[in-house]
Amino acid sequence: MNQNVARGGVGRRTIHDVALAAGVSTATVSRVTSGNYPVAKATRARVERAMRELGYVANANARALARSNSNLIGIIISDMVDPFFAYVARGVEIEASSRGLMSLVCPTRGAMTESDFVDMLLERRAALIVLVGGAVVDENYHQAIRERHERLAAAGSRLVLCGRPGVGGPAPVTAVEYDNVGGARAITDLLLNAGHRRILYLGGPPALSTTRARVHGFVSALADRGIDQPAELIRTGQFSRSWAQQGLHDALDEGADFTAVFAANDIAAAGVYAAARERGLRIPQDLSVVGYDDVPVARELNPGLTTVEVPLEALGREAVRAGLRDSGSSDPQASDEPTVLGTRVIHRESVAAPNPSRRPSRRQDRPGAGTR
């Protein structure tokens, strides 16, 4: 028992206080309070003791939740300032407001995880919880999502995966996606049709579902033209401007041979633009660049960035519609298939035919390189 928690300050105790005091996860506390899942006898005793010592009273049990959900929709995102998440969240909020529901945005950049926020929102009787953006997808993740889906369903609530793949299984979770692979194929085809054959793919965490889908679309488009993509031309890491800026410098310093860059998102493309300027490369005369998402920076870059438009606000709105539709449906197959929204290429000025006499890999080093 964590005595500091048990004897700590006054005020309304939460499920997180109980979990810390008992040395278990918030999910385990929820299982004990709901009574719907098996918990080891010793663990249950620890949790119940922590609840007594803290004076914790569950917000409501599952039966009460099923009869009395709040008007709250929880939106769980990884970053409030990333425009991808901001626009999806705005779509959720617009649709929620139109239905008399209130939205609560929960960013996971701090100490709390998606699971923590799901548990917190369940405690607050949220009618709907929307998980936004890609995920590291494996069987452990699938199982965790299914378990939380079942707990929420038992409480009369609903979990929606927005912008990430569904998890399948006997109790499918509502999923709203966009054609990530198709968008990547289309933007790669645009570069191929312009004459590019050596294309650098740059950005995105390698294990993330979003990155995997975009790389898959990129490689598939090349394979359809009989082009084998060298491993050195697929460089994944982060979606950030600074990472992509350094990534282009690194590729040039290593002598990688390419005439175009597929930046994993528009923020990464802004980093590519910055690095190109630092190396004396002109876009698109010396280097063609494309991005993904079509957030405002794509229009603000000079020249304007050719990119893939993701219907971000529509994605958020559809997540609310699908979640509420499935939560009120008596059809057990209501959420078997994800809702998939289309993407499209937005043509601007950042792509031109390759100029053999101005290959980026043959350009001089960046100014000041090696002078320290």
Side-chain angles (χ1 to χ4, degrees), residues 53-343:
E53 293 187 0
L54 292 172
Y56 173 81
V57 178
N59 200 8
N61 60 36
R63 293 190 187 91
L65 283 169
R67 295 193 301 269
S68 182
N69 277 1
S70 73
N71 67 340
L72 177 67
I73 289 183
I75 311 166
I76 302 177
I77 61 176
S78 67
D79 191 344
M80 290 183 67
V81 299
D82 186 311
F84 179 99
F85 296 105
Y87 279 97
V88 174
R90 185 163 78 173
V92 172
E93 190 279 326
I94 289 171
E95 186 64 28
S97 294
S98 73
R99 297 167 180 265
L101 300 170
M102 179 178 67
S103 299
L104 175 64
V105 178
C106 305
T108 61
R109 288 188 66 85
M112 294 184 71
T113 66
E114 282 188 351
S115 298
D116 290 330
F117 276 122
V118 170
D119 292 335
M120 180 196 76
L121 290 163
L122 175 60
E123 187 181 351
R124 283 158 175 74
R125 300 181 291 121
L128 198 67
I129 299 174
V130 183
L131 299 182
V132 181
V136 177
V137 176
D138 57 24
E139 188 50 42
N140 289 334
Y141 163 79
H142 285 177
Q143 185 59 34
I145 290 295
R146 291 189 196 107
E147 287 178 359
R148 279 165 175 79
H149 164 69
E150 290 167 3
R151 286 173 49 213
L152 288 164
S157 186
R158 193 77 188 181
L159 184 66
V160 181
L161 307 181
C162 182
R164 66 177 68 176
V167 298
V173 181
T174 303
V176 178
E177 303 179 58
Y178 56 97
D179 189 6
N180 210 351
V181 173
R185 288 178 64 96
I187 200 78
T188 305
D189 277 334
L190 181 144
L191 289 172
L192 293 169
N193 290 338
H196 296 278
R197 295 298 181 267
R198 303 280 297 188
I199 304 167
L200 173 66
Y201 184 95
L202 197 59
L208 198 70
S209 60
T210 305
T211 303
R212 290 182 175 184
R214 292 180 187 181
V215 170
H216 176 65
F218 170 62
V219 172
S220 295
L222 292 170
D224 286 348
R225 307 285 184 106
I227 300 171
D228 292 327
Q229 180 70 354
E232 67 173 6
L233 293 185
I234 298 180
R235 301 184 180 218
T236 55
Q238 298 177 23
F239 279 125
S240 71
R241 183 186 190 277
S242 60
W243 187 92
Q245 183 174 356
Q246 185 59 48
L248 183 62
H249 280 308
D250 290 345
L252 293 171
D253 290 342
E254 294 164 16
D257 184 15
F258 56 93
T259 60
V261 177
F262 181 164
N265 68 355
D266 298 339
I267 304 300
V272 172
Y273 271 54
R277 286 195 303 271
E278 292 165 354
R279 300 301 280 253
L281 296 171
R282 300 168 301 161
I283 298 172
Q285 295 92 333
D286 303 328
L287 180 68
S288 290
V289 182
V290 299
Y292 210 112
D293 292 341
D294 196 34
V295 297
V297 69
R299 298 182 288 277
E300 296 161 1
L301 289 170
N302 185 22
L305 179 67
T306 296
T307 188
V308 177
E309 179 190 60
V310 177
L312 299 172
E313 285 193 23
L315 200 65
R317 298 190 71 154
E318 184 56 32
V320 176
R321 296 189 194 108
L324 295 178
R325 180 171 62 243
D326 284 353
S327 66
S329 174
S330 59
D331 179 3
Q333 304 301 316
S335 55
D336 262 345
E337 294 296 328
T339 300
V340 181
L341 305 187
T343 54

